Amino acid sequence: MALQTATPIVAQSVSSLPTREHHDWEDHHVLQINREAPRAYFIPFAEKPSDSRLSLNGAWHFRWAKTPQERIADFYRTDFDASSWQRLNVPANWEVNGYGTPIYVSAGFPFRINPPYVTDEPKKDWTTYEERNPTGQYKRTFQLPEKWQQGQTFLRFEGVMSAFYVWVNGERVGYSQGSMEPSEFNVTPYLHRGENQVAVEVYKYSDGSYLEDQDFWRFGGIHRDVLLYHTPDVRLRDVAIRTCCNNLSDAQWTLQIDPQFSVYRGEDGEGYRLAAVLTDGGQTVGSDTADVATVLDLSHKAVRMNEWYPQRGHRKLGRMTMTVSRPRLWSADYPHLYDLHLVLLRPDGSVAEQVKERVGFRKIEIKGCEMFINGHVVKLRGVNRHEHDPHTARVMSEELMVKDLLLMKQANINAVRLSHYPNCPRWYELCDSIGMFVMDEADCESHGLRGTLASTPDWAPAFLDRCIRMAERDKNRPSIIFWSLGNESGYGPNHAAMAAWLHEFDPTRPVHYEGAQGHYPDLYDPKTVDVISRFYPRVRQEYLNPGIPEGSDRERAENARWERLLDIADAGDTRPILTSEYAHAMGNAMGNFQDYWDEIYSHRQLLGGFIWDWVDQGILRGDSVCYGGDFGDKPNLHAFCLNGVVRSQRELTPKYYEVKKVYAPVCFRREGNTIRAAVRYSEIPLSEYRFTYTVTDNGRPAAQGTFAETLSLDGFARLINRHADHDIRLTVAAHRNGMEVTHEQFPLADHLLAMASSANKRQSPIVSLADIRLQAFRAPTDNDKSFGNWLAKDWKRQGLDTAQVVVTDGGRRQEIRLPEGTITMTAEQQDDEYELTFTCQGTLPELPRLGIVMALPDDYNRVEWYGLGPWDNYPDRQAACTIGKWTSTVAEQYTPYARPQDSGSHGSCAYVVLRNGAGKTIRVEAIGEPFAFSALPYSARELATKNHHYELRPDGHTYLSIDCAVLGLGNSSCGPGVLKRYAIDKSTTHRLRFRIR
C-alpha cells in the first residue's frame, strides 16, 4: 500500500506511513474496474435508429451525503427499499438542485492537497471541512426489452463527476473515474427478464480530481446521459474513419475504414461481413466490404499480423477503402458531410447490426510556418468555451448548444477550443454540421500542483488514460483539427508520452499544449507539439506601466510576464504561433482587440487565437446571477468566473459586436476613389456576399443601394459638393444568408461637429455651472481591478473613489485633492457656452476619465446622440461602432454585468440630448472637439460600491457624464494592461468646450 501512495510530494519512509483505509477513488493506479475499452461514439441499431437503445435519463431515487462515511453502504441490495428517498432527474448536477454547495475555484483544489488523497482535513472554514467528499447514491429500475434476451447489453455513462461504482441487480459491475469521458460496462451477465435494478454511487472528489483543476465551478453528479444499448453476439465494437489525399491537385481521395469487432458465447465471426456504403444526397459514392473473421484474427495468423501489425514500422490502415474523385470537402466555411452506412451481415445475409456515421473529407497540414485546411491557409478566429448553463450547470441541452454555435457563427467565430475537457458527444456532431473548427482538449489540468504530476512516473497511466479516451471517442469527427494535451499542468514526461501516443495514433491532426514551452531565444518549445502556443500575449506597442518612472526601461510585472507574439515569431522557430487564450473578456473588457488582429494579419506565422472565453459562468438563483462566494463557498475566486463574450443566459454585449467586426472574414478598403471588398483567410468568395451601401447626410439617409465588390465614390460627388459643410458618411456592409457579416464606415465629408449646432430651437436649460461637477473617477471595470489590482488599487489608495470635489468661485474652480496631487478644473461661461480646462499636478494615479457629471432628474430617461454607436465604446474598443444618429433609453445604456462596473461610454460625439416624458430636453453640444458621454441610471459611486447587479438602487437621478478624455479598457483582468496610447496624458492640459441648451 505504501508503494501505491508514495509521490514526490510526500517524502517519508515506508515504515512511518500511517495506516489508512484503501479506497479505489483515492488510488491513482485504479482508474477503472471492468470498464470496456474506449471506442468511437456511435450507438448501433438493428432495423432503425434508436431501436437498440434504452435511455435511463429521468427520475432516479437519490440520496446525498456530505461524506462517504455517511452513505448507506449496502444500498445497492435488491431488497433495500429506497422509495422514501428524494427523486433527482438524471442528468443533473447536485449543487444546483439543492444538494451541497457550488464551489468556484480558479486555480487550486477545494480540498487539502495530498495526492492521491482527497479527504484529508482541510482548513475549518473551507466548504470541504463539512462536505469532505459528497457522495450521491442513485437507484432505479428498468424493464429489459424481450428482444434483448440474446446478445449483449451495455450500460453507458457519458459523464459522471468524478468517480463512481455501478451495481446491477445487487451485483457490483465495476468502477470508473474521469468526469468528462464516457464509461461503458457490459452488464449482460447481471441481467434477467423483466424488471432489473441499477444502483450508482458517485463521489464528487477522487484522485482523478487532481487532474481536473480547471478554472470552473466544482460540481458533482451524473451530468450527462445514461443509457443501455444492445448488440448481437458478433458486434461492431469500434470503427475508425479517415480521409486521405496525397496530392490535393489531383483531387483523388481515399476513405479508410478500420472496424474492430467483438464476439461472445463461442462466436468467432466466421461468415460475417461488414458492408460499407458512402452516399451523398442519397447517391452512392462508394462501397466496400470486410470479412469479420479476418479482421478479428482470433488465431493470430502470422501472415495477417505481418500485413497489419508488422514487426517493424507503423501499423497498416484501411481494412476497407473507397476512392472518391473530387469530393465536396468539409471546412468551417463549407461543412459538407457524406453519409456512411455500415451494415454487419450474418452468414445468411440478414442484417445483424447497423451504424450510421457522417463523414467529412478534409486535410490538415502544417507547411512551413502556416496551417492549411484543404490547401487553404487558415487563421483561427477562435473562442474558448466551457460547458455551462446558468440553470443546470454542466448539463447541456441541445437547444443551448445550437444557440451557442449559431451565435458564434454570427460573430464570425470559426474555431472553438473545448476548455478544458472533452465535451458531450452531441456538441461535435453539431460542429460537424454547422461548421466549426474544434480543438479537442484532454481533461487534464493539475493547476494547483503545477507540473508536479506531469513529471511523476506513476501518474503516467492516469495522464494517458484521459488522452486515449478522448481521442478514441472523437477520432471520427471532421470538425476536430487539433488534439490538445490539456491545460496548465506544467510540462513533463507524461505529456511527452501523451503527445507521442497521439502522433502515432492519429498523424492527420496536429498536437497542441500551451504548457510545452522553452525560453526564447535560448531554448525552443519541445518538439512534442506542432504549434507554439501562448496565453495572453502582448502586442508590440508600449503599455501603460503605473508607478514606473517615465523613460525607464522597466515594466510592471503584470505586463512583463506576458510575451509579445511578434517577438516569438522573430525568435527563429518556424512552427505556427497560436494564442490559445487571449483578450480576457471579463466584464467591460476586450480593449485593443483590433490591435491584436492587425498584428496577426501582418505576419504569416501568427495562426490566430482563442478568446477567453465564450460565456459568463454565473449561476442563477431566482433572477440573480451568482458567482464565487455567493453560496458561502470557500475558498473561492469571486467573480473571476464571469469572463464571457456573452453573459450567462447568452445575452449579447458590446464585446460580442466587437468580436463580430474584428473577426469578419471580409474587409473593405478605400483605394483612391474606390471602395473595394476583400476576403481575409476564408474559402467563401466575394461572389457569395451581397454588398450594400448607405450614405448619410448629417445623420439622415441620403442614398442607398447595392454594389458588386467595388464601389466608385464618383456618384456621390454632387451630394458632397452641394453640402460641403455637412457631415457625410458612407457605410458599406457585406451580407450572407440574409445576415450582415460586417460593415465599415468611410467619411466622405468629415464635418462631425456640423451636427453639434443642428438644433432648431433653444430652450432655457435646467442646469447651470452650479450643477456641473468635476469627475475623474469611474466605477472600476474588472480590468481596472485586474490581477495586480493596479489601477483600482491606486485609485483607492489615493482616495480618488471617495474624493470630494472642492468647489470655489461659484463653480468656476473645482478641485479633487488627493494625498499626492491635485486635479483642477477651471470653468469659463458665456451665455450657454462653457470652456473647461483640466490640469493635473503632483503624483497622481492613472486617471480613468477627465470630465464632468450632472445629476439630472430621472424622468430624463431617453437619450439621443450623434457620435459612435450604437454600442458603448472606449478608446481601445470601437471597431464595431460607426458615427451616426442614435437613440436609446438611459436604462439600456447600462450593461447589467453581474458585478457592477463602468459602462455606457460613447466617444466622438457631436451632441447628446436627454428627453423626459413631457418632451423637455437637455442638449449638450460639442465645440471645437467632440466629447465622450455616458448617461446612466446609477452614479459611479453606486456602481463602485455594489458587488452584484441586483444590489443596485436608483436614487432618482440620471447621471450625464461629459468627458474630454477616457482611459481604455485593456486586458488586465488576466493579461496585459492598457496600451499607453489609450491612456490619459496627465502632463498636458485638457480642454472641454460645449454648450448646453
Side-chain angles (χ1 to χ4, degrees):
M1 185 58 60
L3 292 177
Q4 289 182 331
T5 58
T7 75
I9 305 169
V10 182
Q12 52 186 317
S13 66
V14 173
S15 60
S16 67
L17 284 173
T19 301
R20 62 189 300 164
E21 184 180 358
H22 174 264
H23 300 292
D24 296 324
W25 42 268
E26 287 186 313
D27 183 347
H28 56 294
H29 300 99
V30 182
L31 304 176
Q32 57 86 17
I33 298 172
N34 207 29
R35 187 180 69 205
E36 291 287 298
R39 63 172 182 87
Y41 176 75
F42 61 85
I43 304 300
F45 61 95
E47 298 176 0
K48 59 183 180 180
S50 299
D51 68 1
S52 298
R53 65 177 290 165
L54 177 65
S55 174
L56 295 186
N57 290 352
W60 291 55
H61 294 289
F62 178 72
R63 182 180 185 274
W64 181 88
K66 290 182 179 181
T67 69
Q69 290 73 28
E70 297 174 69
R71 79 194 194 285
I72 298 175
D74 59 353
F75 83 108
Y76 55 82
R77 293 191 342 259
T78 55
D79 60 351
F80 181 87
D81 183 8
S83 61
S84 63
W85 288 7
Q86 299 293 316
R87 304 279 275 180
L88 179 67
N89 277 328
V90 169
N93 285 116
W94 302 334
E95 294 80 0
V96 292
N97 286 279
Y99 300 99
T101 306
I103 305 174
Y104 169 59
V105 178
S106 170
F109 302 98
F111 45 79
R112 182 178 172 182
I113 298 175
N114 182 21
Y117 305 112
V118 294
T119 53
D120 287 5
E121 185 174 301
K123 296 178 181 179
K124 290 188 177 181
D125 61 345
W126 283 25
T127 301
T128 52
Y129 185 81
E130 291 291 333
E131 298 176 23
R132 190 65 54 88
N133 188 7
T135 305
Q137 296 178 302
Y138 300 75
K139 290 194 80 171
R140 68 160 292 164
T141 60
F142 63 89
Q143 289 292 129
L144 187 70
E146 190 62 31
K147 291 183 179 180
W148 290 15
Q149 301 304 320
Q150 301 298 318
Q152 304 296 307
T153 301
F154 296 85
L155 176 59
R156 181 179 176 92
F157 297 84
E158 297 293 357
V160 180
M161 311 184 78
S162 69
F164 68 101
Y165 294 97
V166 60
W167 294 262
V168 171
N169 293 325
E171 295 186 68
R172 193 176 83 166
V173 174
Y175 165 85
S176 185
Q177 63 183 52
S179 297
M180 299 301 187
E181 298 84 15
S183 302
E184 283 188 348
F185 302 91
N186 189 334
V187 295
T188 308
Y190 309 97
L191 298 174
H192 53 239
R193 274 190 167 84
E195 185 175 85
N196 289 260
Q197 189 181 95
V198 60
V200 183
E201 186 169 270
V202 178
Y203 296 82
K204 182 172 181 176
Y205 306 120
S206 67
D207 56 89
S209 301
Y210 283 103
L211 300 182
E212 297 176 358
D213 191 26
Q214 290 93 353
D215 174 6
F216 200 77
W217 295 93
R218 309 305 162 99
F219 295 121
I222 303 173
H223 66 104
R224 291 181 183 163
D225 293 342
V226 183
L227 66 133
L228 292 158
Y229 71 90
H230 189 71
T231 75
D233 285 331
V234 178
R235 72 177 183 113
L236 178 65
R237 195 198 74 79
D238 193 11
V239 63
I241 302 165
R242 183 176 296 179
T243 60
C244 308
C245 182
N246 292 327
N247 186 352
L248 287 168
S249 62
D250 66 19
Q252 291 292 111
W253 288 71
T254 300
L255 175 64
Q256 294 180 339
I257 304 170
D258 284 278
Q260 294 182 20
F261 303 96
S262 291
V263 291
Y264 307 86
R265 299 180 183 177
E267 290 280 5
D268 58 11
E270 287 293 338
Y272 280 78
R273 291 176 298 118
L274 181 68
V277 178
L278 184 72
T279 59
D280 184 15
Q283 298 297 312
T284 298
V285 175
S287 62
D288 198 5
T289 62
D291 181 74
V292 172
T294 301
V295 176
L296 275 170
D297 192 23
L298 297 178
S299 59
H300 302 291
K301 291 185 176 180
V303 65
R304 292 175 181 167
M305 291 189 293
N306 287 338
E307 180 180 3
W308 295 100
Y309 302 99
Q311 189 77 353
R312 295 170 182 83
H314 301 285
R315 61 175 176 159
K316 180 181 175 181
L317 299 172
R319 296 278 188 170
M320 308 165 73
T321 62
M322 302 176 199
T323 299
V324 182
S325 180
R326 300 188 182 281
R328 297 175 64 184
L329 304 183
W330 186 96
S331 70
D333 287 333
Y334 294 108
H336 187 75
L337 294 170
Y338 288 75
D339 293 302
L340 179 64
H341 190 189
L342 301 172
V343 182
L344 181 62
L345 299 170
R346 298 185 181 93
D348 62 5
S350 62
V351 174
E353 186 177 49
Q354 303 181 67
V355 168
K356 287 188 175 180
E357 264 287 11
R358 307 299 302 278
V359 176
F361 285 83
R362 59 105 181 90
K363 184 174 184 177
I364 308 163
E365 298 174 283
I366 291 179
K367 296 190 292 187
C369 64
E370 294 175 300
M371 184 173 184
F372 296 77
I373 304 290
N374 303 332
H376 298 275
V377 179
V378 296
K379 298 283 188 184
L380 299 181
R381 298 183 271 255
V383 68
N384 285 271
R385 175 185 174 270
H386 267 301
E387 287 188 313
H388 179 71
D389 184 305
H391 302 277
T392 61
R394 288 287 196 189
V395 180
M396 299 301 296
S397 67
E398 178 155 342
E399 178 185 18
L400 191 57
M401 289 188 284
V402 170
K403 185 172 186 177
D404 277 347
L405 277 170
L406 293 180
L407 286 175
M408 288 178 186
K409 294 287 282 189
Q410 291 162 19
N412 297 315
I413 292 166
N414 70 356
V416 60
R417 178 183 178 221
L418 307 186
S419 50
H420 304 287
Y421 40 80
N423 283 201
C424 67
R426 183 60 178 153
W427 173 260
Y428 302 85
E429 295 174 342
L430 293 171
C431 289
D432 289 348
S433 61
I434 292 175
M436 185 67 66
F437 294 132
V438 171
M439 177 181 283
D440 203 8
E441 192 152 272
D443 184 20
C444 192
E445 178 167 347
S446 60
H447 199 144
L449 282 166
R450 307 307 191 265
T452 305
L453 301 182
S455 295
T456 304
D458 69 346
W459 278 82
F463 276 68
L464 278 168
D465 177 72
R466 289 162 185 265
C467 162
I468 293 170
R469 290 165 73 189
M470 169 190 70
E472 287 282 15
R473 189 195 71 169
D474 300 335
K475 57 187 174 242
N476 296 332
R477 301 276 56 86
S479 54
I480 297 172
I481 63 168
F482 271 108
W483 299 122
S484 179
L485 306 182
N487 189 63
E488 293 187 299
S489 302
Y491 181 76
N494 296 341
H495 286 117
M498 295 168 77
W501 190 91
L502 284 168
H503 278 124
E504 183 61 28
F505 172 75
D506 179 18
T508 70
R509 293 180 175 99
V511 171
H512 162 274
Y513 178 57
E514 185 270 343
Q517 293 191 19
H519 301 284
Y520 291 101
D522 303 316
L523 182 65
Y524 288 167
D525 288 6
K527 296 299 183 181
T528 49
V529 292
D530 300 301
V531 291
I532 300 164
S533 180
R534 292 295 185 272
F535 281 178
Y536 307 105
R538 289 182 286 168
V539 296
R540 193 177 276 175
Q541 296 184 43
E542 186 177 358
Y543 282 82
L544 194 63
N545 283 287
I548 303 297
E550 191 71 28
S552 171
D553 59 0
R554 293 193 301 115
E555 293 184 288
R556 287 282 295 246
E558 294 91 338
N559 277 331
R561 65 181 292 188
W562 311 111
E563 296 176 79
R564 299 182 194 269
L565 282 178
L566 288 176
D567 288 351
I568 301 172
D570 290 344
D573 193 321
T574 60
R575 284 172 287 183
I577 299 168
L578 176 68
T579 171
S580 46
E581 293 180 21
Y582 79 120
H584 198 261
M586 185 176 180
N588 190 5
M590 296 193 71
N592 65 273
F593 193 56
Q594 181 69 64
D595 296 86
Y596 274 117
W597 276 84
D598 289 344
E599 285 198 353
I600 290 168
Y601 285 133
S602 76
H603 201 291
R604 292 171 55 209
Q605 194 173 357
L606 301 186
L607 178 55
F610 295 91
I611 298 163
W612 187 268
D613 58 3
W614 172 242
V615 60
D616 283 352
Q617 289 108 54
I619 296 177
L620 284 178
R621 184 166 54 187
D623 294 329
S624 303
V625 178
C626 298
Y627 51 79
D630 287 345
F631 299 95
D633 47 310
K634 194 171 182 180
N636 69 78
L637 198 55
H638 312 294
F640 202 62
C641 57
L642 305 175
N643 34 42
V645 173
V646 298
R647 287 160 45 211
S648 297
Q649 297 189 81
R650 276 56 176 184
E651 306 99 326
L652 303 187
T653 68
K655 296 174 288 188
Y656 176 88
Y657 296 103
E658 190 80 353
V659 172
K660 178 183 176 72
K661 176 61 169 62
V662 175
Y663 271 4
V666 176
C667 65
F668 297 95
R669 300 185 180 93
R670 182 169 181 170
E671 299 175 359
N673 219 28
T674 300
I675 303 297
R676 189 177 304 277
V679 172
R680 292 192 291 197
Y681 296 94
S682 171
E683 294 181 48
I684 302 171
L686 292 177
S687 60
E688 291 196 18
Y689 293 94
R690 186 174 68 91
F691 297 101
T692 62
Y693 70 86
T694 302
V695 177
T696 56
D697 179 355
N698 279 356
R700 296 185 301 273
Q704 60 185 17
T706 62
F707 64 99
E709 302 182 17
T710 60
L711 176 66
S712 173
L713 303 183
D714 294 340
F716 309 124
R718 185 176 178 184
L719 172 67
I720 297 169
N721 293 333
R722 190 170 65 244
H723 301 290
D725 59 344
H726 286 200
D727 191 56
I728 303 175
R729 297 180 183 270
L730 168 70
T731 302
V732 292
H735 308 260
R736 186 169 182 262
N737 297 328
M739 303 189 68
E740 181 183 298
V741 175
T742 190
H743 63 266
E744 195 67 67
Q745 189 176 73
F746 300 91
L748 301 182
D750 194 357
H751 301 295
L752 175 68
L753 293 188
M755 292 297 293
S757 56
S758 60
N760 295 321
K761 63 179 181 178
R762 298 187 180 190
Q763 62 183 37
S764 300
I766 68 167
V767 296
S768 65
L769 185 58
D771 301 305
I772 293 172
R773 285 293 175 268
L774 166 64
Q775 182 174 236
F777 176 69
R778 75 182 180 199
T781 65
D782 287 308
N783 280 344
D784 294 336
K785 295 179 179 181
S786 73
F787 265 4
N789 202 22
W790 51 4
L791 294 174
K793 185 176 182 180
D794 285 348
W795 301 341
K796 189 172 187 64
R797 180 177 60 82
Q798 291 222 34
L800 183 64
D801 58 332
T802 57
Q804 298 297 310
V805 178
V806 179
V807 180
T808 57
D809 195 15
R812 288 178 172 80
R813 183 179 180 87
Q814 301 186 23
E815 292 181 331
I816 295 176
R817 299 170 183 172
L818 303 179
E820 301 175 36
T822 302
I823 305 165
T824 302
M825 181 190 82
T826 57
E828 298 293 335
Q829 180 182 1
Q830 185 172 358
D831 298 327
D832 59 357
E833 294 188 4
Y834 296 78
E835 181 171 347
L836 311 180
T837 302
F838 301 85
T839 57
C840 300
Q841 296 176 311
T843 303
L844 294 170
E846 299 299 334
L847 299 179
R849 71 189 331 156
L850 268 179
I852 59 167
V853 62
M854 294 174 271
L856 308 174
D858 64 359
D859 64 337
Y860 284 83
N861 54 19
R862 279 166 276 184
V863 59
E864 175 190 308
W865 74 97
Y866 190 82
L868 283 172
W871 305 286
D872 72 10
N873 48 86
Y874 291 74
D876 57 355
R877 195 193 69 204
Q878 53 186 226
C881 294
T882 56
I883 299 289
K885 182 185 289 186
W886 308 103
T887 59
S888 179
T889 66
V890 169
E892 290 169 343
Q893 285 298 293
Y894 177 67
T895 302
Y897 297 107
R899 184 163 69 176
Q901 54 199 280
D902 186 74
S903 69
S905 181
H906 295 274
S908 298
C909 288
Y911 71 79
V912 58
V913 178
L914 286 172
R915 181 175 286 105
N916 68 9
K920 292 184 177 180
T921 63
I922 298 170
R923 180 183 176 98
V924 182
E925 300 172 346
I927 301 174
E929 295 289 336
F931 54 67
F933 87 91
S934 66
L936 300 175
Y938 309 108
S939 68
R941 180 66 180 163
E942 173 73 2
L943 292 170
T945 55
K946 296 300 167 58
N947 291 320
H948 298 84
H949 173 69
Y950 61 79
E951 297 172 0
L952 293 173
R953 297 291 180 269
D955 63 2
H957 294 95
T958 291
Y959 290 89
L960 176 62
S961 298
I962 308 293
D963 296 310
C964 61
V966 175
L967 178 68
L969 296 169
N971 295 277
S972 60
S973 55
C974 184
V978 179
L979 290 172
K980 193 168 184 179
R981 67 190 181 100
Y982 299 126
I984 297 175
D985 185 353
K986 301 189 295 295
S987 67
T988 190
T989 298
H990 297 266
R991 287 182 172 82
L992 179 61
R993 295 178 61 207
F994 56 88
R995 67 176 60 88
I996 301 179
R997 296 182 176 182

